[in-house]
Amino acid sequence: MEIHILSIFPEMFASVLDESILGRAQSRRLLQVYTHNLRDFTQDRHRVTDDMPYGGGPGMVMKPEPIVAGIRAVQERFGPSYVVLLSPQGNVLN
């Protein structure tokens, strides 16, 4: 099984993924986890991945362009895949 993670902080996953059950699964080659830096798929020189919310208000939102570009790049390189996009809205994931 292959898992690809797109994140603006891909380094933070290494300690979690290399330990416990996930670490053993990777050492036995049952699982392969790849992390990809979302900033690699931006188009500006500052590698910005977030923007002000449409209509104003507090906080920031992720730009869709780097996310879509990242998903497409992973699928072009590794083949079609199932995509899970986490969001703060919607139903609780059980």
Side-chain angles (χ1 to χ4, degrees):
M1 172 186 271
E2 286 185 11
I3 297 175
H4 296 267
I5 300 171
L6 292 166
S7 173
I8 58 173
F9 303 111
E11 301 84 17
M12 82 175 185
F13 291 94
S15 63
V16 175
L17 296 172
D18 293 341
E19 300 296 326
S20 187
I21 295 171
L22 296 175
R24 289 194 304 264
Q26 289 182 80
S27 68
R28 294 178 186 161
R29 300 182 192 260
L30 300 172
L31 174 68
Q32 295 175 330
V33 180
Y34 301 94
T35 57
H36 307 275
N37 192 335
L38 200 54
R39 295 183 193 280
D40 293 341
F41 305 104
T42 60
Q43 299 297 316
D44 64 315
R45 68 180 182 157
H46 298 292
R47 301 173 66 187
V48 176
T49 59
D50 57 357
D51 203 354
M52 299 292 290
Y54 180 77
M60 300 292 279
V61 295
M62 296 296 290
K63 288 182 175 182
E65 295 87 359
I67 296 171
V68 171
I71 292 169
R72 286 183 178 161
V74 168
Q75 289 181 335
E76 285 175 9
R77 183 170 178 203
F78 295 96
S81 60
Y82 183 74
V83 177
V84 177
L85 181 61
L86 301 179
S87 169
Q89 64 186 24
N91 298 329
V92 175
L93 182 62
N94 292 325

